Amino acid sequence: MKMSEQKSGSQNVLRLMVCEMAHLSRPDGSATTFQGDTCVMTSVYGPTEVRMAKEQIDRTTVEVVYKPKSGLPSCAEKSLENIICNTCENILLGNAHPRSAINITVQEVQDSGSFTACCINCCCLALLDAGIGMKCTMAAVNCCIDNEENIIVDPTRKEEEQSQAVLTFAFDSKDKNIITVITKGKYSQQQFQKCLVLCRDASDSVFKFYRETMEKKLSKT
Amino acid sequence: MVDVQLSDAEKTYIIHGAQDNLREDGRGCEDYRHLEIETSVVSTTSGSAKIRLANTEILVGVKVELGETSPENPDKGRIEFFVDCSANATPEFEGRGGEDLANEISNMLARAYDCPSCLDMRKLCVVEGKKCWIVYVDVLLLECGGSLFDASSIAVKAALYNTSIPRLTVTHDEGHTELELSDDPYDVQRLDVYNSPCIVTLSKIGHSHVVDASQKEEACCLARLMLAVTDKGCVTAMKKEGSGSFDVSSIEDMLETGKKVGQSLNKSLMEVLVSEDRNMKKKYMTGYLR
Amino acid sequence: MAAPSVCVPGQRLCGKDSNVQPGRGTYERNGFIYASLTGCLMTEKGEDMTLVEVVRSTETTLVPSVDCLVTARVTNVNPRFCKCNIIKVGSKPLTDSFRGMIRKEDVRSTEKDKVEMYKCFRPGDIVIARVISLGDAQSYLLTTAENELGVVLATSEEGVTMVPVSWCKMRCPKTLNDEFRKVAKVQPSFIEQCDT
Amino acid sequence: MAVDIRLASTCVRLKPESIDELTNLVTPGDVITSDTGFMRGHGTFMEDGKHHASVAGVVQRVNKLICVKPLKTRYNGEVGDIVVGRIIEVGMKRWKVDTHSKLDSVLMLSSVNLPGGELRRRSEEDEKLMRYYLKEGDLISAEVQSVFNDGSLSLHTRSLKYGKLGQGSLYLVSPSLIKRRKTHFHNLPCGVTVILGNNGYVWVCPTEGEVSEQTGGYEQNFEPVVRADREVVARIGNCVQSLADHRMMLFDTSILYTYEASLKFPVKDMMKPEVKTEVIDLARQRLERDGT
Amino acid sequence: MRETPLSNCERDFIKTAIAEKKRIDGRQAYDYRHVRVSFGVERGCCMVNIGDTRVMAQVSCQVVEPKQARPADGTLYINVELSPMACPSFEPGRLSDFGVEINRLLERCLKESRCIDTESLCIVAGEKVWEIRVDVHVINHDGNLVDGCSIAAIAAIAHFRRPDITVSGDEITIHPASERDPVPLSVHHMPICVSFAFFEQGKYLLVDPTDKEEKVMDGRMIIGMNKHREICTLQITGQMLLLKDQVLRCSNIAVVKVTEITELIHKALENDREERAKGGKYGFAESVPKNKVTSNHKVSAPVDMETVEDHVTSTFSQNDDVIEIDSDAASTSESDDSVVIMDKGSGAIGLGGPSTWNVDDEMSELKEENKSNTTKTKQQKSDTNIVVSIDDSSEEETTEILVEPSIQKQKKKKGKV
Amino acid sequence: MAADVKTAQPLQYYRKFIEKDVRPDERTLEEFRPTVLNIGCVTTAEGSALVKLGNTTVMCGIKAEIASPKTEEPKKGYIVPNVELGPLCSILFRPGPPGDQAQRLSQFTNDVITHSCCINKEDLCIVPGKYVWVLYCDMVCLNYDGNISDACVLALLAALKNTSLPKVVWDEDTETIETDHNTTTQLNIICEPVSSTFSIFDNEVLLVDPTVEEESLSTGEVTIVTIDDKICMIRKPGGSPLTPQQLDLCINRSFIRSQEVIRLIQETLNSVDR
Amino acid sequence: MPTDTRRITGPESSVSPYSFCKIQEPQPLFNSQDLRKDGRKCDQVRPIFLKTGVVSKAQGSAYLEQDGTKVICAVYGPRAVIKKEEFSMKGQLRCDFKYTTFSCKYRRQYQQDNEEKDYSVQLLEALEPAVLLHKFPKAQVNIYVTVLQNDGSALAASITCSSVALCDAGIEMYDLVTGCSTRLAGDRLLLDPCKHEEYSSKEHSEVNNGSVTVGLMPSLNQISAVTSSGEIQFEHLKKAINKCSEICVQLYPVCQQSLSKSVKENIKENT
């Protein structure tokens, strides 16, 4: 019923990507990312003071808080937090600031498909905005396998619901290895390989988007 | 237990005292301290009692409400205990400080009353399988001066005795039943607490044991035996408490003492309650303003 | 050895008299010696005394006690003292660490007032120390004021295990630059374990 | 033995005190005087040129100084007071002592006299032995040495009459009930020693021989106290309690009189309110006769 | 994390400025910062900016059992979340006192002023009613959160649509949006909070204080009011004694502000409605400024599907040999991992390796032992006291067992762990 | 002094073993620990199973209760899996509400059930819109020594296969139900999801079925749930990046593992029935 | 809405199927030949299976099984006291008693209910007298007991189990503590009752119906725990206590056996 999801006809297209950075006054870094209608807002504080309990003597403590739009966070949100946290930890220079903390807060604004991917990308942008030392950047792409066995990259919510399997990949910019894989639903090994490669290719354009964004940001300053 | 710190010397003094049956305040091992009781002190309850045992002060309020019968025993009412260790009894109770103690007391009371002859729950059933009276007993610790269990059990018994349940008339007409509450305040039903238990705590001090231990005495007692004793001289609940242990023989005479003390405690309590009940009319309220 | 007689707590071992002496893992109660541990019964004939003890197959020094040696990992350092986690008591690894503290004045026996904590310990170092007192509720008080005590394992900025070069210096084999530590007099056991 | 249970209604109540002394009683916010010539002391505050009371109590005037003495309060100590206190913490070189004052008092290792006479350096050893001398829960009698600017007290026991207390029992009363005397240690004829701490802690114990020099009074004898002494101690204790309950000043004579008045009752009856009142009344009359 | 306190010079500066009827951001005393209300793609999702302060509200609904007391009423549940995003001092998890205060205020302002008709939320009296849940997320904290929250909350409520339902007998069907258009809630009135900050014991007052101003103020007054000039809630906090006329002045100001804001909300709702109607673009994405340097738009990027196949082969080709190794490694493991049934209901694969729990052999042992013991006890049932002399010959006495007939019952061992 | 390296520098200690393609517990890198399965060990539960993976021990008990269904889906029952990592099973856990890890595991098991669709929730319907079954599947860890997720999934599956529900009779006119515990019906399990976990050591080496030490040292983790020859879930939440072929290896290994495990379950079940 | 966000949640409320089946009147506790439902004599105790060292990462642990009653216990410590407390020269003992949700006929909740709290305390007080607390100053020992399946006498079983676990952990003790419970029915004593035999106030109304649990330190002959419920005359109470302690004494060697076995194994491994 939503006009703004009309694109869903063509399968091999990443939806319109929009992002706004540094739009929050308080955090050290912040970003809002749209992929189609899906929208996530992320803020980063850090490196800052760390709570005694969480202190690690040799590395930074990365803490991710995920805020669902309505209702209280439950187990599902907890594991999403965990996924985001581990993924970010991997691209950050962990031992650059020992005994400090980087607090990332991810706010759901609108989930219309490929949500996890959007979260990860948004975090990456926020971290870029916060100017925290990173090994590399990362890009997440989501795809699903519909009942006709064909693969849809960056699907909408509707498409996800109708598909038999949903796969989310996150790649690093260095040599495009797989940082994160989250998949749900049945599919064969061949299909998996195919999805993997597709998303891997698709991730290029996300990396390109990062680049443009940063170029634009740093252009007039 | 709310514990005060004592020096070794003080402890020995107390222990020896218990040995030759003369305690700090001149009591013998089996003597209770002076007890003061007043019932129906809180007008908003169905029954209430306030007791003062030296420094221990406890207020008990009983509320009786209509409720659903529980599926496991549809022909009975229920009694529920809640103990509140108010923080103005002692700062230790602040926040969740008093919770453990409160639980222990309420558990003990619940167990003590958890047998048919103490309080006939069948009388509290209104419509079998549907409606029954639920008796909520709220125990409030106002000041702690030792032997809280005993004191609260006495207060509870007094309050229950004082409790009056409004008379209900049940009328059945094709299937659904009508309940009618009589509006006459004097047309009430009383609980029979004749056989309700009182808890007697026997604190083992040195090799002898005392009843109604003061706070200091509790501080130098390692193990205590709690007995819920009925007027008939039965135990409805027993519990050992504290980090010490008894040898088998000593338990025997503890039981003996418990029985003796318990029964006389019940006896004199009932006497007082009955007498107060008798001259209810010409009684003037004492309350807290003295 | 033949199957030793195993005893469990509360088992009466023998009467207590002048020539029997209760040892570890036993206690004495109105004239008898009882076992307080599960383990093998050991008797040691002295010249006029027989020592009776119950020994477990695995060692039982469970808590740090005054004067015993402990291995600790330094967690943080400040000018006045350094905090650490005790990971081993004697040679027995602990499942859960105890908190320990080395005060400035307990780092070494000489020139106590010249001690600079940062030149003695760094977070992550492994230290061998002796318990001086049970300290306060939080942590045990430790000392390294002996030659054999101090840092035994430390990693340089590169994260390489350093080798001791003097009583106050350790060298990183990779970059060959020295870092200050309160080094323990090198014990053969540790050398061997550093290059195995 | 029958348990003694009463109805609150049947219990005798205390008679209200004579009203006359309550004339200069004030409550917070009351204007004491609008005369600005006065200096404001404890328990008062100034607002638009008037002296107001900040506590409920009795107004006291020492020539130009006006202060309000609260009826019931925690102990605020003055140098030279005799206090009875309980050790609550053993720290580095100092003990923390509970004296029922606003803040915990301290007893420095340097201000106790240790075994082996007064003039002796405190060594590292003593620091290790502190818990052996005095440990948590121990009772001491001491004198207030100085008052820190935060109001907490520093005590000393550098005299043989002070120090660790042995067998006996402690009673807590309101500090305002302790009458200031030149001595607070009393060996009563009945063979009982009473220490009336200014902080409202009253120590009652059987009188015993002098403490020996060497031990510095840290050795204690745990020999059983004979029944007779025990009984007297109990009786005195109950007297102190009843005096406190009736808010009468505590000092040697008052205690003694109460004791003598109580003699016609068995000790344990003294817990009964009516007995208390009777005994106290007797004592009070006698005190009034003495005109004290 | 602690909030960094305001330096004294800043305090003084702000205070003196206020005393001179100036504000550090150049506003007049009674001015609001720029207020923006925008709605999301989803119904009942509203974002409110007041200057840098940002609040998002989302309304949702579910079917629940009604409260015993009011069986024919739906419920309105308000939950304020102070996200750590908004300000480092906000901890995740349980709500701070400040949060509770706001929450309570909103409840008083919305719930207890009965701004929505709860009777209309009843489905089957006493059994099923709608629960409307409003989650208010504070996203950026630059002062005056209360106003932000209240605006966001009420706007979201006005924007929300709940699914339509039909009740036939005890059959209840909830229609998804695709079947039937969702229905709006019936909103009686729109209460809005306006907060005032007071300085110098209430001498000066400011509307819409910023974070800095809030840090130095003596106290605040919050007036919840709707455009019919009805006060829904009023609260004064802080250490100050306020003069009567100040309160009246504030309420007069509130009237003006409330009407303005209500206007704004209605306009925003109107826009949203039109956009949706004519199927144009709506949602937050539209409110992201294109020209800002910090923002970036990118049109849909195609992903070529043609080359995928050979890509796949290329990526996975080089690991054939590896698979080789693995598979035969596996096959070996296969061979020795044959299932062993140890006892009724318990089987195992893999042998050796550490497992302190291979109980069943234990079991047999113990059985024997018990048997032997019983035989033993037969000959010396007499001695019940257990004494071990130091010599080893004492095994006999030490073993003493249970009540003797227990052996017959040693048989069934099913479900042993 | 080997113990010293182990406690002081566990990482170096492990490296020494891994270099030689073996682990301290004498396993090869792609070898699982011995797996013991014990079905129907708790008679108070409708279904139960105990799984031992080396030292790791998980007991799953299933309690069935009766509740009214959601208004949205009046024919569907509930399956409520929860993992308890109590303080009993390891020093790592404190008493109180479930920690993050326990929550993640609970979610994981829940995902396995929903995504594998191993149970048709409509089988749990008693009276549409009125009464449905709730299956509380509680997995209690009794001994925590790593790779708890595999153990949980196995225990859960085994317990479900062991579950049988009492017969329920619906009385039309009184609109009440009555249960008969003497006649029970087996729960129908559609498919058998099996999970296998790999942990990444030093960013490259893959260890199958990690112990708790290995987990604490690992730089990442991959869990793969397979059903027969299909993949049901892959879960690699961050951690060190893997090449596609490494991932492929894991998938292959897990296929082999699943065959073993299914055989184990089958034969064990038979042994119960016989 | 206080829903548990830390767990996967089902429906708000659900009822056990047992509350839907028709109530069958309680059958007699023993038949004509004085045999109980499971064929035991009145004074017959169920066979005990005891095993130590079942939790590999724990300091000490034990598993006890009495037919239907299955208890596992783990001991951790002595370890640093977790929450800030004042200095104490004595060690502390902490007990945590829990039923698994599926261990009983009716499903248990996750949070400790009153019974479990009460048992935790009783367990603690049963064990404390037996432990040489002064051996681990300012440290604490945690004892976690979990009942996997409850078919009566759970408390007694946990007492025995946890004391054995303590031994296994090498915590110094004056003595073991063994537990036994009995059911009073008139003048009869049913030892080691099963779930259906245990006293419950709603079924048995006459006097001298109740149950007694005793924890005993066998070789010191000291009673460290005793608890009763139901209305009992003093004479019967004494009888019950004595009978229980008798059994407790007989349990001692069983613990001894399993412990010495584990010790022997250790020796084997080490040599």
Side-chain angles (χ1 to χ4, degrees), chain G residues 132-258:
Chain G
L132 281 73
L133 291 169
H134 59 274
K135 292 276 183 170
F136 45 97
K138 76 171 206 167
Q140 77 177 11
V141 169
N142 293 66
I143 303 167
Y144 300 110
V145 178
T146 302
V147 177
L148 301 172
Q149 187 179 330
N150 175 18
D151 189 12
S153 330
L155 180 58
S158 351
I159 290 178
T160 318
C161 186
S162 41
S163 80
V164 170
L166 274 170
C167 281
D168 183 49
I171 309 286
E172 291 204 46
M173 309 215 294
Y174 293 108
D175 194 353
L176 290 171
V177 187
T178 52
C180 172
S181 71
T182 180
R183 162 71 199 280
L184 290 86
D187 51 1
R188 272 248 191 32
L189 285 182
L190 307 184
L191 286 171
D192 184 17
C194 299
K195 191 88 200 82
H196 68 93
E197 291 172 332
E198 282 185 331
Y199 166 80
S200 81
S201 60
K202 63 169 177 285
E203 285 158 22
H204 323 94
S205 49
E206 328 66 41
V207 180
N208 287 329
N209 258 303
S211 43
V212 173
T213 305
V214 170
L216 182 88
M217 299 192 261
S219 60
L220 305 183
N221 195 31
Q222 290 263 320
I223 290 186
S224 71
V226 54
T227 159
S228 85
S229 53
E231 190 176 17
I232 311 168
Q233 281 158 347
F234 277 85
E235 297 62 39
H236 290 75
L237 195 54
K238 283 181 201 155
K239 206 174 81 192
I241 293 177
N242 292 330
K243 188 64 188 166
C244 283
S245 357
E246 249 174 67
I247 300 302
C248 289
V249 174
Q250 296 177 337
L251 284 180
Y252 186 71
V254 179
C255 308
Q256 200 169 25
Q257 233 171 56
S258 68

Side-chain angles (χ1 to χ4, degrees), chain B residues 200 202 225 227-230 232-238 251-263, chain G residues 184 207-208 231-241:
Chain B
V200 177
L202 296 139
L225 190 68
L227 299 163
V229 186
T230 62
K232 286 212 225 77
C234 288
V235 180
T236 61
M238 167 173 64
I251 279 205
E252 300 239 332
D253 35 11
M254 279 183 144
L255 290 175
E256 283 308 326
T257 326
K259 184 175 183 182
K260 197 156 89 247
V261 177
Q263 277 178 303
Chain G
L184 290 86
V207 180
N208 287 329
E231 190 176 17
I232 311 168
Q233 281 158 347
F234 277 85
E235 297 62 39
H236 290 75
L237 195 54
K238 283 181 201 155
K239 206 174 81 192
I241 293 177

Side-chain angles (χ1 to χ4, degrees), chain C residues 9-157:
Chain C
Q11 207 160 318
R12 191 189 294 171
L13 303 176
C14 62
K16 162 82 178 121
D17 52 35
S18 54
N19 58 8
V20 199
Q21 184 197 359
R24 287 178 297 145
T26 69
Y27 69 98
E28 191 185 330
R29 186 191 174 93
N30 41 36
F32 288 96
I33 296 177
Y34 295 82
S36 67
L37 278 176
T38 9
C40 311
L41 189 57
M42 298 289 176
T43 57
E44 228 171 78
K45 288 262 181 298
E47 57 283 352
D48 59 345
M49 271 283 194
T50 329
L51 182 67
V52 180
E53 35 179 38
V54 176
V55 184
R56 278 171 66 80
S57 43
T58 54
E59 224 182 306
T60 55
T61 28
L62 288 163
V63 282
S65 53
V66 174
D67 285 340
C68 73
L69 283 179
V70 297
T71 314
R73 174 179 280 108
V74 178
T75 54
N76 69 29
V77 183
N78 69 36
R80 284 182 358 274
F81 59 83
C82 88
K83 292 212 191 105
C84 46
N85 290 338
I86 302 174
I87 53 176
K88 278 174 68 195
V89 178
S91 63
K92 181 170 182 297
L94 293 167
T95 41
D96 196 3
S97 68
F98 289 93
R99 292 179 292 278
M101 180 200 276
I102 307 175
R103 290 179 301 172
K104 186 159 171 286
E105 54 267 39
D106 300 325
V107 171
R108 61 181 186 225
S109 43
T110 55
E111 310 181 283
K112 292 187 174 184
D113 41 5
K114 288 212 175 61
V115 174
E116 293 174 71
M117 285 314 262
Y118 295 104
K119 288 189 170 185
C120 299
F121 307 109
R122 293 289 175 83
D125 292 359
I126 302 294
V127 178
I128 288 196
R130 187 181 299 284
V131 180
I132 19 178
S133 87
L134 300 181
D136 56 3
Q138 268 63 319
S139 50
Y140 290 83
L141 276 186
L142 310 178
T143 178
T144 56
E146 285 173 47
N147 291 344
E148 289 68 27
L149 305 182
V151 178
V152 288
L153 261 180
T155 51
S156 64
E157 264 84 19

Side-chain angles (χ1 to χ4, degrees), chain E residues 11-76:
Chain E
R11 290 176 171 280
D12 303 342
F13 179 70
I14 295 172
K15 283 204 170 128
T16 41
I18 290 164
E20 298 164 7
K21 304 267 184 296
K22 292 199 186 71
R23 292 175 79 164
I24 42 176
D25 52 9
R27 277 186 289 159
Q28 291 304 311
Y30 299 164
D31 287 357
Y32 255 89
R33 286 167 287 178
H34 171 245
V35 181
R36 200 174 99 209
V37 179
S38 50
F39 295 102
V41 172
E42 203 171 328
R43 277 292 184 180
C45 179
C46 170
M47 180 89 69
V48 169
N49 302 33
I50 305 178
D52 274 335
T53 297
R54 232 184 226 247
V55 181
M56 184 175 88
Q58 172 68 55
V59 181
S60 54
C61 62
Q62 74 185 105
V63 179
V64 296
E65 232 177 64
K67 297 202 178 61
Q68 240 63 355
R70 331 185 107 275
D73 276 13
T75 55
L76 175 64

Side-chain angles (χ1 to χ4, degrees), chain F residues 28-270:
Chain F
T28 62
L29 301 189
E30 66 282 330
E31 186 182 351
F32 274 85
R33 288 172 288 180
T35 314
V36 180
L37 178 59
N38 181 336
I39 293 181
C41 44
V42 178
T43 52
T44 46
E46 270 69 26
S48 64
L50 179 107
V51 168
K52 291 177 217 132
L53 203 57
N55 282 337
T56 298
T57 311
V58 173
M59 180 182 265
C60 176
I62 296 179
K63 276 305 246 183
E65 295 204 335
I66 296 173
S68 52
K70 293 208 197 77
T71 325
E72 296 79 3
E73 37 200 34
K75 280 196 180 55
K76 284 197 173 145
Y78 304 83
I79 304 175
V80 189
N82 272 299
V83 178
E84 285 276 310
L85 296 177
L88 175 132
C89 67
S90 163
I91 198 98
L92 303 169
F93 307 114
R94 301 255 172 265
D100 290 4
Q101 193 186 358
Q103 294 180 45
R104 286 204 299 278
L105 277 164
S106 303
Q107 183 58 37
F108 173 68
T109 47
N110 193 26
D111 289 349
V112 170
I113 289 190
T114 39
H115 299 314
S116 68
C117 323
C118 56
I119 296 179
N120 177 0
K121 286 190 176 171
E122 306 212 339
D123 293 355
L124 299 174
C125 180
I126 300 167
V127 182
K130 284 205 167 42
Y131 296 108
V132 294
W133 284 109
V134 191
L135 298 184
Y136 293 99
C137 318
D138 288 302
M139 288 148 276
V140 183
C141 178
L142 300 179
N143 191 351
Y144 183 88
D145 192 15
N147 193 8
I148 185 83
S149 44
D150 290 7
C152 283
V153 173
L154 176 50
L156 179 58
L157 179 60
L160 283 171
K161 281 179 151 298
N162 172 246
T163 306
S164 54
L165 300 171
K167 181 151 151 293
V168 187
V169 189
W170 160 252
D171 186 332
E172 270 302 340
D173 35 295
T174 58
E175 295 221 325
T176 54
I177 55 170
E178 195 176 280
T179 55
D180 171 6
H181 291 267
N182 302 325
T183 53
T184 60
T185 51
Q186 263 286 324
L187 191 65
N188 171 30
I189 309 299
I190 296 161
C191 60
E192 293 152 326
V194 176
S195 117
S196 13
T197 299
F198 308 76
S199 80
I200 310 167
F201 184 79
D202 271 353
N203 300 322
E204 59 218 358
V205 188
L206 282 165
L207 302 180
V208 173
D209 179 23
T211 65
V212 70
E213 290 83 9
E214 288 159 354
E215 276 180 352
S216 62
L217 296 172
S218 78
T219 58
E221 202 158 75
V222 190
T223 301
I224 299 173
V225 181
T226 57
I227 298 172
D228 310 327
D229 62 342
K230 287 240 188 283
I231 305 170
C232 163
M233 273 178 78
I234 301 184
R235 186 178 154 80
K236 182 188 183 303
S240 29
L242 289 184
T243 62
Q245 37 285 52
Q246 279 174 313
L247 212 51
D248 222 43
L249 278 179
C250 301
I251 297 173
N252 292 327
R253 179 64 182 99
S254 52
F255 277 134
I256 296 157
R257 169 65 174 174
S258 73
Q259 294 162 13
E260 296 165 9
V261 170
I262 288 171
R263 212 165 65 251
L264 172 66
I265 297 175
Q266 264 325 326
E267 300 191 14
T268 320
L269 274 171
N270 300 341

Side-chain angles (χ1 to χ4, degrees), chain E residues 290-345:
Chain E
K290 290 213 171 23
N291 45 12
K292 281 241 311 279
V293 291
T294 56
S295 69
N296 185 14
H297 290 60
K298 176 171 150 305
V299 290
S300 319
V303 184
D304 83 354
M305 310 285 279
E306 286 58 45
T307 57
V308 174
E309 295 309 331
D310 40 342
H311 270 247
V312 171
T313 46
S314 64
T315 9
F316 290 93
S317 57
Q318 64 266 60
N319 71 348
D320 299 345
D321 51 349
V322 201
I323 292 175
E324 207 57 56
I325 298 162
D326 179 73
S327 55
D328 68 7
S331 56
T332 52
S333 63
E334 178 115 57
S335 56
D336 56 37
D337 281 355
S338 55
V339 178
V340 183
I341 296 298
M342 305 156 109
D343 187 356
K344 218 157 179 295

